[in-house]
Structure formats: structure tokens, C-alpha cells
Amino acid sequence: MAEKRKKSRSENLFLRYLILGAWALFCVAPVLWFLSIGLRPRTEIITPTPVYFPSFSLDAWHMIWEDWPMAKYLRNSVGAIFGSVIIDLVLAIPAAYSLSRFEYRGREDIGFYILSTRMMAPAIVAVPIFFLFRTLGLLDTIWALMLIYAAINLSFVTWIIRSYMLDIPKELEDAAKTDGAGELRILWEIIVPAILPGIITASVIAMIFAINEFLFTLLIASTPDAYTMSVALANFTGGSDGIIYNAIALVAFIAFLPVFVVVVAIQKHLSRGLTMGAVKG
Amino acid sequence: MSNPSLSGAGAAQAAPARPAQRSFKRRSKRLKAALPYLLVAPAVIYLLMITLYPGIYAIIQSFHEVRFGPWRAVGFANYQKLFVDYQFWGALWNTFLIGSISLVLQCVIALALAFHAYRDPWVKGWRILFLVPMLFMPSAVAFIYKLIFLDARIFSDILIRIGLIDGNLAIQSSTWMSRALLILADVWQWTPFLFIIFVAALQGQDEEVEEAARLDGASWSAIFFNISLPMMKPVIAVALILRAIDITTMFTNVFIVTKGGPAFGTETISHFIYRTGFKFFNFGYASAASVIMLIITIVIAQLVVKRAFVSARS
């Protein structure tokens, strides 16, 4: 009996590692292969039969920094993303405080309205937003990108922060209130420090979505003045040169690395952040 | 809460309230009632600007012909045209088809992976490995798949070497293979999203219940299907809804990998609106399609999403 159980357990382990290993390979193989694209000369990318053992070349690396305004794209990305996260936090922290700490009429509806904006397909609002920014003279600027990224991310930044605020025991606040502290001081001096992990998680996830954003950026940015990394990629195509895959691959890795490091650092909070606080990891 | 002296320590010390002080107190009371609204207002106003304003704008524009010159009112003409536009219906169908197949695959794979990973001592390592595709920009992922399957034909080459096929696959001229390619790219990139959430839910379940069932001789798979899965239902619902929202707005892969082809066989609704508005500059028509999408979105939001999020919280 005991032996049988032991045997089925070791078989399970074999199956487990087979499945997990296969998926890991499926995840990582295209990525490693794409890295090899970034580090090979252009002549070995699109060939009659694929080249599996390419020669090493830093052509693409020189190309993206010397022939393209990559530093500018990077600056645009970083500027638009950080700006949008700051706008989000300034708007979301008070909103989340209101939704989590007060009882008032319409609270549930307001909360759901904020959540529901997450469901708005970019394509639905793309045409009006395009005309709005044209009227405001903001087309092709990173200010427009900042505003639109902030809008896209505001719903779940608010909901993540709200979820963390709900976890703070009411007593903590009541103690401060009997000391005579006002609501805003309580928010700033007690709640915000206590939910710092939540604020960081929300910011990281907002950052990822902002880096990924493609459709709005494509519409708003029409010159390198406002191109971000994501749309710059689509810019390495066309013309007589065809698609310049090795440059695309390197840019993809340049954008990937910082995100990867930050996400590994906040691993523990990720599931909670991704579900807007509905799942507590 | 019973102490009304929220305006600060100073007010609490002034024991005999003079008239000026009293009016100040009344005002502060009104302020106190308004405070939650004032706190939430900036966020709501900001969101209204990017949802309500564009919504109204799109509705008005959808009743006009808008190209380059001034708007020309055309009544319901855009909608009439839309209802018999096979490209529009095709785009709706493709969005639904590609989205639902992709979503089901992601859900099943993520559940299977999560079931095998959550008790594993190296769960953190698996999580990091599986996360990798999700952290690439979607435009980069689109190029990875375009290169592997279409431009450099690695996939065909490997199949030829194994001996499964004779010549290169003509993926671009096959509707179903093109759809499969979009599905594959989406599954590759976004299964980890569900995996991470499911693992967290499985790890968060009550270990005592699990242990008790285990001592009764239940197998891990019986525990999973009879205890874990029912417990995870609300979580699965929320996670799937969030994925479904993103899948229905699928644009980047279509734009870069298939361009909606062959013969509009992979065109999604987002790509349809983009193409009508920004390639053919038929903005009124694009807005009419947007309005229909908007109505569908609002209906689904009210019916499904509200309930899922409320039940997940309780």
C-alpha cells in the first residue's frame, strides 16, 4: 500500500516536471532565439534556409544608437511613462481613500464606473481622442502620451490601491483621529506609508501597460519627437531595407530588461495587482 | 467618528463656541460631508474626459460624413451601411472566434500549469520563467512571431527537417493558419497572466481542508477538481474577464503580423476601426462602428463584470 502510493507519487513528479519543463522551454526558446537575432548580422536573418548557428555581430547595436534617435525614443518612453504614473498616483490615492474609507451615497456606482473604464477598447475612443488632441495642439507630443497612458491606467491603479487600503485596520485611523488629526493628514501620514507596497505594485503594473501601449501611440506620434520604444519598433520597417529585425530584437530586450528586474522584485504582489486587488496573493 | 472636532486640535480647545466659531463648525460639517466626493472627483472627471466626452463625440460624429472637409449630416446612413458591411460583421466574428479560442486555451493551460506548480518547491523559479513572454512589448512579440512563422520560416523549416511536411507552409494565404498564428502568439504571451493569478489562488486556499482530504485518501487531482476548483471560481471569473477585455481589443498582432489578411480573415474589430478611420479617413463610419462596440461593451460590463467583481470581493 505504502509502496504503491510512493510509486504513483514519483510518477506524478515525472509528469509534473515534464509539463512544467515543456512550457518553460516553449516560453524561453523564442526569446533566446530572438536574442540571437539581435546579435547577428542582417545577412543571416532572412535566408532561404534559416541560419541556426549565426556569426556574432554588434551591427544592430551600433545601428540603433547611431542611425536612429534611439536615445530620444528612450527619453520619450521614460518621460511619458513616469509622467503618467505620477498623474495616476495623484488622482488615484485620494480616490481610493474616498472609496475605501467613507460611507456615502453612490460610492459603489462611482467605484464601478472607475473600474468599467478599463473595458473601454482603445479603438472605440481613438477617433475622438485623436481630434481632441489635435484641437488642443498636443498631437505628436509626449504630453499627449502622458495624459492618455494615465487615463488607461487610472482605473486599476485606483482599484489596486483601494484594495490595499481596505486591509488597514480601522483602529489605526481611529487612534489618530482621537489625537485630533484631520482626514488628509491621516491619509498622508498613516495610510500612504502603510500601503506603500500597494502603491509600488500599482505603479509597476501601470508602467508595464504604458510601455506596451501601441494603438494610441501610433495615432498620436507621427515623428520621432513623440515615438516611444513600442512604436519605434514598427518604425524599423518599410522602405527598401525591409524589416530590420536585429535592431527590433535589441530594442525589445532593452525595454524588457528593466521591466523584468522590477517585476521579479515585486513578484509577491503581482497576482494581487494584476487582478486589481480581487485576489490576495 | 462621534467627535465632531475634525477640523483640528485648535477647535477642540475652544470650549465656549462663539458665533463665528459656530458658523465655521457648520461649514466644516458641510465640508466633511462633501470630502469623500471631493477626493474622488478629480479621478472621475479625468476618466469622464476620456470616456464620456469621446463617447458623445463618437455618437455625434457617427451621424455625419466626416472626411477632410466640413462635417455633413447623413442621418443613419453610416449605420445602415454598417449593418450590411460584411467586413464589419467579419471583424466582429473574427474578434469573437480568435478571442474565445485563445481564452479557452489560455485558461486550460494556465490551470494545468498552476495545478502542477503550486506545490512545487521551485514555484518561484517557474513563475519567473513563465513570466518572460508577458514582459515583452506586444509589438516585439508580434515581430517575434512574424519572423518565426512568416519571414524566416523557422517553423516550416523545423517541420521539414522532422519530415512532417514537404515544402514551406503558406501560412499567409490560409485564413485558418493565420488565425492560429494570432491565437498562438496570444496564448504564448498571456497564459502567464492567468497562471500567476491561479497559483496565488491555489496557494491561498485553506491548507487544513486540503490536508484533511489528503488523509482521507483523496488524490491530488480529486482535491483539485472537488475542492480547489470550486473555491477558485470567483477568481477564475475575474481573471478571465480581465483577459477577455484585452483580447477583444486585440490590435498590435493583427496590425504587425497579418494586417488583417488574408481577405480580412483575421481582421479584428479594433483593426477595422483603425483602418476605416485612419487609413481611409472615413471618420464618421469608424465612429459608427465605435458606437456599436461601445454599446456591446456597456451591456457586457453591466451584466457580467459587475457581478464577478462583487462576488470576488466577498
Side-chain angles (χ1 to χ4, degrees):
Chain A
M1 182 69 188
E3 211 157 87
K4 196 182 159 197
R5 180 174 290 176
K6 210 173 174 185
K7 190 168 168 251
S8 88
R9 209 181 147 77
S10 73
E11 268 168 18
N12 275 343
L13 271 186
F14 176 73
L15 184 70
R16 180 198 286 180
Y17 287 116
L18 185 74
I19 290 173
L20 295 177
W23 188 265
L25 186 70
F26 175 61
C27 282
V28 175
V31 170
L32 291 179
W33 182 76
F34 207 48
L35 184 63
S36 89
I37 291 288
L39 301 174
R40 67 172 75 181
R42 275 201 76 192
T43 47
E44 293 179 22
I45 296 171
I46 297 172
T47 47
T49 49
V51 177
Y52 291 100
F53 300 99
S55 44
F56 179 80
S57 150
L58 285 176
D59 285 359
W61 178 260
H62 295 300
M63 187 190 265
I64 57 174
W65 298 108
E66 286 156 23
D67 298 354
W68 273 292
M70 183 48 62
K72 202 170 183 179
Y73 299 154
L74 204 60
R75 230 176 16 241
N76 288 343
S77 279
V78 171
I81 289 161
F82 276 93
S84 76
V85 170
I86 288 167
I87 295 173
D88 276 337
L89 292 180
V90 168
L91 293 173
I93 291 174
Y97 183 50
S98 163
L99 292 172
S100 64
R101 279 306 198 241
F102 296 87
E103 297 281 344
Y104 55 91
R105 215 144 51 94
R107 188 184 70 169
E108 295 300 309
D109 289 323
I110 292 173
F112 183 68
Y113 167 70
I114 291 176
L115 175 70
S116 72
T117 59
R118 176 79 182 83
M119 291 182 297
M120 199 79 152
I124 296 178
V125 291
V127 178
I129 292 279
F130 177 80
F131 282 103
L132 174 66
F133 282 139
R134 198 174 68 171
T135 313
L136 296 174
L138 287 177
L139 278 187
D140 206 29
T141 64
I142 69 163
W143 303 108
L145 297 177
M146 213 180 273
L147 291 172
I148 205 73
Y149 296 164
I152 292 170
N153 289 331
L154 184 54
S155 61
F156 64 87
V157 171
T158 307
W159 269 64
I160 294 169
I161 292 176
R162 170 185 167 280
S163 132
Y164 280 82
M165 281 182 179
L166 285 174
D167 281 1
I168 300 176
K170 197 108 182 136
E171 292 81 59
L172 206 63
E173 235 182 299
D174 291 342
K177 257 182 203 163
T178 34
D179 286 352
E183 254 94 354
L184 294 179
R185 237 184 77 198
I186 292 176
L187 171 62
W188 187 244
E189 285 177 7
I190 294 171
I191 304 218
V192 167
I195 59 151
L196 214 52
I199 292 178
I200 292 169
T201 306
S203 306
V204 168
I205 292 175
M207 183 187 87
I208 295 174
F209 280 108
I211 293 174
N212 289 353
E213 210 294 314
F214 189 77
L215 178 58
F216 280 121
T217 314
L218 186 70
L219 299 178
I220 291 167
S222 50
T223 67
D225 284 344
Y227 276 152
T228 61
M229 309 272 276
S230 175
V231 165
L233 280 192
N235 199 39
F236 292 152
T237 69
S240 52
D241 288 346
I243 299 170
I244 301 154
Y245 276 110
N246 49 1
I248 289 177
L250 280 191
V251 175
F253 277 92
I254 292 171
F256 166 79
L257 277 177
V259 176
F260 185 69
V261 171
V262 175
V263 166
V264 169
I266 63 145
Q267 256 218 79
K268 220 175 64 185
H269 295 270
L270 203 55
S271 57
R272 188 169 181 179
L274 291 177
T275 53
M276 297 177 155
V279 178
K280 288 177 184 167
Chain B
M1 285 299 276
S2 57
N3 191 345
S5 66
L6 281 157
S7 41
Q13 282 161 3
R18 279 157 302 177
Q21 198 97 28
R22 205 178 298 141
S23 93
F24 174 74
K25 253 186 184 169
R26 204 178 305 136
R27 203 162 58 218
S28 95
K29 208 167 189 174
R30 219 178 301 150
L31 186 74
K32 200 185 145 220
L35 185 64
Y37 293 102
L38 290 175
L39 287 170
V40 84
V44 170
I45 291 168
Y46 194 82
L47 287 169
L48 283 175
M49 274 186 333
I50 64 122
T51 55
L52 192 67
Y53 166 78
I56 293 169
Y57 190 98
I59 290 171
I60 296 171
Q61 199 177 42
S62 71
F63 292 106
H64 291 79
E65 185 175 295
V66 183
R67 287 186 188 265
F68 294 103
W71 295 19
R72 197 167 61 81
V74 291
F76 282 91
N78 284 324
Y79 289 97
Q80 280 167 350
K81 218 170 98 192
L82 207 56
F83 275 105
V84 293
D85 185 342
Y86 75 95
Q87 284 179 8
F88 174 70
W89 291 107
L92 272 182
W93 168 242
N94 288 333
T95 307
F96 174 75
L97 191 73
I98 294 170
S100 50
I101 295 175
S102 185
L103 194 61
V104 169
L105 282 175
Q106 285 171 34
C107 183
V108 171
I109 295 170
L111 274 176
L113 292 173
F115 167 68
H116 286 286
Y118 85 101
R119 280 174 281 115
D120 198 85
W122 291 313
V123 58
K124 274 190 182 164
W126 294 117
R127 197 156 51 185
I128 290 172
L129 272 180
F130 294 174
L131 254 174
V132 166
M134 202 176 108
L135 303 181
F136 273 90
M137 296 184 287
S139 52
V141 172
F143 279 113
I144 293 178
Y145 277 79
K146 188 172 160 62
L147 187 55
I148 292 181
F149 286 89
L150 304 180
D151 291 353
R153 301 196 208 90
I154 309 286
F155 182 67
S156 290
D157 189 66
I158 290 171
L159 290 188
I160 291 170
R161 277 165 200 265
I162 298 172
L164 285 175
I165 51 170
D166 296 326
N168 280 320
L169 288 170
I171 296 171
Q172 268 160 309
S173 55
S174 155
T175 305
W176 276 104
M177 275 197 272
S178 297
R179 285 175 183 162
L181 183 54
L182 291 181
I183 292 168
L184 182 71
D186 203 71
V187 168
W188 183 77
Q189 186 168 26
W190 292 109
T191 301
F193 178 92
L194 296 178
F195 170 79
I196 286 164
I197 294 167
F198 294 165
V199 166
L202 282 167
Q203 286 178 330
Q205 69 186 333
D206 194 346
E207 274 173 43
E208 280 174 28
V209 179
E210 228 182 329
E211 206 44 50
R214 194 81 197 115
L215 289 174
D216 284 348
S219 67
W220 282 116
S221 55
I223 294 176
F224 179 72
F225 283 106
N226 297 322
I227 299 175
S228 305
L229 209 53
M231 177 271 318
M232 284 169 74
K233 249 191 207 155
V235 172
I236 295 175
V238 169
L240 286 186
I241 284 169
L242 289 170
R243 261 326 287 135
I245 291 168
D246 282 347
I247 288 180
T248 50
T249 64
M250 183 188 285
F251 175 78
T252 315
N253 284 344
V254 181
F255 179 75
I256 291 174
V257 182
T258 68
K259 301 244 180 276
F264 307 108
T266 59
E267 182 165 77
T268 56
I269 195 73
S270 292
H271 194 265
F272 176 84
I273 293 172
Y274 169 81
R275 190 168 52 88
T276 323
F278 295 95
K279 262 176 125 175
F280 299 137
F281 302 107
N282 198 346
F283 290 111
Y285 197 49
S287 283
S290 303
V291 170
I292 298 202
M293 270 296 281
L294 186 62
I295 293 168
I296 296 173
T297 310
I298 290 170
V299 170
I300 294 176
Q302 290 298 330
L303 288 181
V304 185
V305 180
K306 207 167 185 173
R307 205 180 311 155
F309 269 88
V310 170
S311 80
R313 265 184 292 140
S314 54

